[in-house]
Amino acid sequence: MTKKPRRYHITTFGCQMNKADSERMAGILDNMGFISSEDPNESDVILYNTCSIRDNAEQKVYSYLGRQAKRKHQQPDITLIVSGCVAQQEGKALLRRVPELDLIMGPQHANRLQDLLEQVFDGNQVVATEPIHIVEDITKPRRDSKITAWVNIIYGCNEHCTYCVVPNVRGVEQSRTPEAIRAEMEELGQQGYKEITLLGQNIDAYGRDLPGVTAEGRNKHTFTDLLYYVHDVPGIERIRFATSHPRYFTERLIRACAELPKVCEHFHIPFQSGDNQLLKAMARGYTHEKYRRIIDKIRQLMPDASISADAIVGFPGETEVQFENTLKLVEDIGFDLLNTAAYSPRPGTPAAVWENQVSEEVKADRLQRLNHLVGVKAAERSLRYMGRTEEILVEDINPKNANQVMGRTRGNRLTFFEGDINEIKGKLVEVKITEVRPFSLTGEVKHLAAVNS
Ligand code: SAH
Ligand code: SF4
Ligand code: F3S
């Protein structure tokens, strides 16, 4: 009798970092002979890759886990794994909450999944949350897309923003070598990938943990140097990166982006608050004036660049006037996109225990007011695309209309147009924009002749 293939299911919460980790863990499971499945209830290995950035993200996983823990009572052979940021934050405490768990593994251990699973299959309940040096991945990630790919360049974060769990759960900064990054990109180029997003929680910190200084005494490996080193990888047509930190963002980087043709004119630079006192309380290390100077410089060198950011409302002590300073910054800059969130107190972070917490009602009201302004400004920003011809990298069909395909402009606006996905998937197409909405566009192919390979 042949043995039924063992199946695995991964649900991923949180940011691109977690999505990239999940793709590597899926690659490891494929390599071990498991078959991927969409349905956790049909799977033998169930992995939840978790996020703890805000309380609602964390709570979600507990309800998912509860269901699988129950199933395990009927099917004791299934393997239940929690990885990612909640795993790191809670560690062993998760076992008290969900004793059915087989494996708890922090983000730094993602590449060790095979090792850890083998210990589980030997009959152990395993908790892997000790800080380690992240081992280079030797397995091929199972990537969701064949067109766009993430490439980690720096893990962890050494900042101590007073609201944020990331340094607690992702550990200290660890940069990959430029050679390893370029090698991964070259392989992706050979496989037909067209767009790479370089990833780090604080990408501007890239290289500060790597050895070497230049003749002028500057660190040899900066993010800007990395861009010059990887920008010409054959096959790759577009390079993006996230997340930038205003504290470390340099004019040299802006110049590199303006100069290197494959680097897209899109910057994701979270500002968090438009008020200097709050920025200080958050320990962000810059003022709103400095932030505005960065944006001015970008627009001076790249007038059409898209700017996106993250912001928090209702940070402890935030007054109405301070909140209005955030509105003012959004009004003045006019973001193409702004991710907004109400402050959520997180375990082990300084601001969580301050006494000047803002009420949930006030947070909800401010969030709504900010989101309204964000929509108005995004709609204004979209207007500039009207009638223009934009280069779109075709990624997939429009899930809501099979006659249309979708892709993104270099500035990262989602764009829909009529076309045959089988013909143009993965291609750069010149599209004339005929309709604009706050966060997406519609257009028509201008010249099919302009379609390249
Ligand atoms: N490294 C990036 C952000 C990573 S977390 C940076 O420094 O900007 C992604 C976003 O989640 C943050 O930009 C912030 O806006 C939001 N966030 C982080 N902690 C939060 C908290 N405790 N409550 C609400 N939002 C939070
Ligand atoms: Fe969190 Fe600040 Fe690090 Fe961003 S820079 S991940 S907000 S601690
Ligand atoms: Fe969440 Fe961890 Fe990313 S907390 S936002 S998954 S780094």
Side-chain angles (χ1 to χ4, degrees):
M1 199 181 87
T2 52
K3 219 170 142 198
K4 204 170 128 226
R6 293 173 303 164
R7 295 204 270 186
Y8 74 90
H9 169 84
I10 300 181
T11 295
T12 309
F13 304 88
C15 64
Q16 292 165 324
M17 228 65 68
N18 250 20
K19 289 180 183 137
D21 288 349
S22 284
E23 291 186 347
R24 289 203 306 280
M25 292 193 284
I28 292 170
L29 290 163
D30 283 350
N31 195 46
M32 290 174 76
F34 287 92
I35 310 283
S36 145
S37 163
E38 293 285 309
D39 184 357
N41 298 317
E42 293 294 321
S43 297
D44 309 283
V45 172
I46 303 97
L47 188 155
Y48 292 112
N49 194 14
T50 60
C51 171
S52 66
I53 201 79
R54 287 179 284 275
D55 189 55
N56 55 6
E58 180 176 343
Q59 295 310 321
K60 244 189 258 169
V61 73
Y62 293 123
S63 68
Y64 283 55
L65 266 181
R67 264 170 270 154
Q68 292 304 320
K70 226 184 228 162
R71 184 160 82 92
K72 193 161 168 146
H73 289 275
Q74 272 88 56
Q75 292 167 264
D77 285 347
I78 65 173
T79 303
L80 210 47
I81 308 172
V82 177
S83 64
C85 298
V86 176
Q88 186 66 40
Q89 180 186 288
E90 298 298 311
K92 276 201 188 92
L94 266 177
L95 285 182
R96 280 198 292 278
R97 194 162 178 158
V98 191
E100 295 84 354
L101 281 173
D102 295 288
L103 171 58
I104 295 167
M105 53 190 285
Q108 294 186 328
H109 295 260
N111 294 352
R112 297 185 57 224
L113 178 61
Q114 174 158 5
D115 224 22
L116 298 169
L117 260 184
E118 278 162 6
Q119 294 175 37
V120 169
F121 296 148
D122 276 347
N124 303 300
Q125 206 172 23
V126 180
V127 180
T129 50
E130 70 283 8
I132 57 163
H133 179 75
I134 294 173
V135 281
E136 271 292 333
D137 190 16
I138 40 162
T139 324
K140 298 273 156 286
R142 177 197 179 88
R143 299 188 193 262
D144 278 348
S145 164
K146 299 261 175 285
I147 318 292
T148 63
W150 290 304
V151 171
N152 284 95
I153 68 161
I154 176 168
Y155 301 101
C157 180
N158 287 7
E159 298 301 301
H160 290 284
C161 305
T162 49
Y163 51 83
C164 184
V165 286
V166 171
N168 303 352
V169 292
R170 292 250 159 200
V172 294
E173 289 165 4
Q174 297 186 37
S175 301
R176 293 177 70 199
T177 65
E179 293 76 21
I181 295 164
R182 183 164 173 123
E184 185 173 351
M185 289 175 70
E186 281 180 351
E187 195 174 337
L188 288 163
Q190 279 159 12
Q191 290 166 356
Y193 282 86
K194 294 286 154 55
E195 182 179 298
I196 301 281
T197 303
L198 302 172
L199 285 185
Q201 278 298 353
N202 173 3
I203 206 150
D204 303 284
Y206 175 77
R208 62 183 178 185
D209 57 320
L210 294 176
V213 282
T214 62
E216 309 89 65
R218 187 171 60 73
N219 190 332
K220 209 168 164 182
H221 301 285
T222 67
F223 178 54
T224 307
D225 296 304
L226 181 74
L227 275 185
Y228 281 111
Y229 180 66
V230 302
H231 81 277
D232 59 349
V233 168
I236 302 301
E237 306 273 2
R238 290 176 165 187
I239 297 174
R240 302 186 185 280
F241 56 89
T243 300
S244 301
H245 196 308
R247 183 184 222 159
Y248 304 103
F249 200 90
T250 63
E251 190 172 326
R252 201 170 151 250
L253 173 62
I254 305 174
R255 292 193 182 280
C257 296
E259 192 181 308
L260 298 173
K262 291 183 184 179
V263 177
C264 291
E265 302 71 29
H266 170 225
F267 296 86
H268 183 68
I269 321 176
F271 61 87
Q272 313 301 359
S273 166
D275 183 84
N276 286 347
Q277 240 174 318
L278 275 191
L279 285 169
K280 206 167 221 167
M282 290 173 166
R284 290 289 290 179
Y286 54 87
T287 58
H288 78 89
E289 290 90 351
K290 157 101 191 272
Y291 188 84
R292 288 167 192 264
R293 280 199 298 275
I294 292 171
I295 307 299
D296 286 348
K297 193 77 209 174
I298 291 173
R299 288 185 167 160
Q300 189 191 328
L301 293 176
M302 282 168 274
D304 194 45
S306 302
I307 314 281
S308 61
D310 304 343
I312 298 175
V313 302
F315 183 77
E318 185 185 67
T319 63
E320 174 62 22
V321 172
Q322 290 174 327
F323 168 65
E324 283 166 11
N325 285 335
T326 293
L327 290 178
K328 187 157 177 0
L329 187 71
V330 174
E331 177 68 48
D332 292 347
I333 289 185
F335 291 93
D336 292 271
L337 175 79
L338 183 70
N339 304 316
T340 58
Y343 169 71
S344 166
R346 306 307 297 134
T349 60
V353 292
W354 295 350
E355 275 164 14
N356 51 354
Q357 301 291 324
V358 173
S359 75
E360 292 305 320
E361 293 71 33
V362 170
K363 284 186 207 170
D365 172 64
R366 290 181 184 168
L367 190 59
Q368 202 205 341
R369 285 156 66 199
L370 179 58
N371 284 342
H372 176 75
L373 180 61
V374 168
V376 171
K377 297 313 261 184
E380 282 174 26
R381 291 290 290 162
S382 275
L383 279 178
R384 77 192 197 281
Y385 287 111
M386 191 65 194
R388 253 168 48 174
T389 298
E390 284 289 313
E391 177 204 276
I392 308 296
L393 173 60
V394 180
E395 293 180 35
D396 224 325
I397 57 165
N398 175 357
K400 292 190 189 145
N401 177 354
N403 294 326
Q404 285 187 339
V405 298
M406 63 178 189
R408 287 176 185 273
T409 64
R410 285 175 62 95
N412 215 30
R413 268 283 186 272
L414 194 58
T415 305
F416 305 101
F417 61 96
E418 273 183 26
D420 180 352
I421 191 68
N422 299 316
E423 248 174 61
I424 54 174
K425 187 165 182 166
K427 300 207 163 137
L428 291 168
V429 182
E430 302 279 304
V431 173
K432 183 164 185 213
I433 304 304
T434 53
E435 215 179 287
V436 302
R437 291 169 297 278
F439 302 105
S440 64
L441 311 169
T442 301
E444 50 200 40
V445 177
K446 202 174 167 202
H447 311 291
L448 259 178
V451 176
N452 51 17
S453 58

